[in-house]
Amino acid sequence: EVQLVESGGGLVQAGGSLRLSCAASGFTFDDYAMGWFRQAPGKEREGVSCISDSDGSTYYADSVKGRFTISVDNAKNTVYLQMNSLKPEDTAVYYCTADGRLTCGDWSPLYEYDYWGQGTQVTVSS
């Protein structure tokens, strides 16, 4: 059974930091691009970040470049999203995603992705 279990969300003040974790199981972690989407109330889903071990590619949405960092620990089958300098507009449900593509590309929400986590809420107060 495939599982993507997110953790690390919560409430933080603007300017603060959070680290999201996503523990994966049930598939060959190294063969998948791993990433994060987010969706705020009333807004469309947004691709936040991706990392692919297959070709070393990464993707960051313009809105998070320089503030968020994605990383993986292959020994733990876990992907992380370090979020610094958080802003109220970062408030959303964050979803961990896995896909069998070889490269991150533009990590667009218009595409189909293989696996999704249940989501974790991130709330940034002003």
Side-chain angles (χ1 to χ4, degrees):
E1 179 188 8
V2 171
Q3 286 192 312
L4 295 175
V5 181
E6 301 108 330
S7 61
L11 173 64
V12 65
Q13 288 189 332
S17 298
L18 284 174
R19 189 177 80 155
L20 303 183
S21 300
C22 172
S25 61
F27 61 97
T28 305
F29 186 77
D30 295 356
D31 291 344
Y32 282 71
M34 300 296 299
W36 298 86
F37 285 84
R38 69 184 180 185
Q39 189 162 20
K43 294 189 176 181
E44 294 186 352
R45 187 168 292 178
E46 177 187 19
V48 177
S49 186
C50 166
I51 186 167
S52 173
D53 267 359
S54 297
D55 67 351
S57 62
T58 57
Y59 167 84
Y60 292 96
D62 288 342
S63 56
V64 307
K65 280 180 182 176
R67 300 188 298 121
F68 291 11
T69 303
I70 192 168
S71 61
V72 293
D73 185 335
N74 289 321
K76 296 182 178 180
N77 285 0
T78 299
V79 59
Y80 303 97
L81 187 67
Q82 178 67 43
M83 306 186 295
N84 299 329
S85 303
L86 283 162
K87 305 175 181 180
E89 51 263 44
D90 294 318
T91 296
V93 177
Y94 284 71
Y95 298 91
C96 178
T97 310
D99 195 75
R101 62 184 61 202
L102 297 178
T103 186
C104 288
D106 59 1
W107 206 242
S108 168
L110 298 178
Y111 305 143
E112 296 288 331
Y113 293 85
D114 291 329
Y115 308 122
W116 292 82
Q118 81 285 355
T120 186
Q121 177 69 47
V122 171
T123 303
V124 184
S125 63
S126 57

